[in-house]
Amino acid sequence: MALAVMTAKSRIGFPLVVTLGMAAAVGGALAFEHIGGYIPCALCLLQRDPYYYGIPVGIAAIATSALGLPAWIIRALLAVVGVMMLVGAGMGVFHAGVEWGFWEGPASCGGGGAMTTNAGSLLDDLNAVHGPSCTQAALRVLGLSFAGWNVIASLILAAIAFVGAKRA
């Protein structure tokens, strides 16, 4: 019994780290938006989806590990998280390419007016006001935009998930 408890504790590390990492990454994006005032473009919002879907899968992997369920379930869940993070990295590469002008972004990323400040004209402004353009990086840190940093974060999280899947 002690061996089973020790094995379950050792298997929970990778699911816990990758899930906390995903939560930190998307939490950081939300903090930049709501606290920092950076309005995300359409591609920025899409890049959050792998995190939103991956966190519940990561929580399921944590629960599976904690309950001592078969290792193949943990492996499968971590592999799914890894694939989601690779998709997120691909989305980040696409968005960074749009920002650098390597290719065109979707038509929904044209940019436009600012957010409305008049509640009386809110309904009228719904069709006129659009988010920022996907071609302009809101902020660059060490030469990378949010999309570039998402690529790095997603690749690190994918690597953690795949290593965890291999070792589970």
Side-chain angles (χ1 to χ4, degrees):
M1 173 126 168
L3 181 62
V5 171
M6 191 171 69
T7 303
K9 283 184 180 180
S10 65
R11 292 191 312 182
I12 204 167
F14 284 100
L16 186 63
V17 168
V18 76
T19 304
L20 290 176
M22 288 186 294
V26 79
L30 290 168
F32 273 104
E33 177 182 351
H34 295 291
I35 297 170
Y38 291 93
I39 299 170
C41 69
L43 287 177
C44 291
L45 293 172
L46 281 174
Q47 288 176 78
R48 296 178 187 179
D49 286 348
Y51 294 97
Y52 292 147
Y53 296 125
I55 290 170
V57 176
I59 291 170
I62 292 169
T64 301
S65 298
L67 295 172
L69 295 177
W72 69 267
I73 299 173
I74 301 166
R75 280 190 210 105
L77 291 170
L78 286 174
V80 168
V81 168
V83 169
M84 287 181 188
M85 291 299 96
L86 288 178
V87 168
M91 294 169 82
V93 167
F94 177 76
H95 188 187
V98 169
E99 291 173 345
W100 287 102
F102 295 145
W103 44 76
E104 280 197 36
S108 63
C109 286
M115 304 236 346
T116 185
T117 57
N118 183 357
S121 66
L122 180 63
L123 292 175
D124 295 330
D125 289 346
L126 282 176
N127 290 326
V129 175
H130 303 286
S133 173
C134 298
T135 61
Q136 301 294 321
L139 174 71
R140 290 195 188 274
V141 177
L142 299 175
L144 292 177
S145 66
F146 290 130
W149 286 108
N150 178 50
V151 172
I152 292 171
S154 294
L155 289 175
I156 290 170
L157 292 169
I160 292 169
F162 288 132
V163 169
K166 184 176 179 181
R167 293 188 182 175

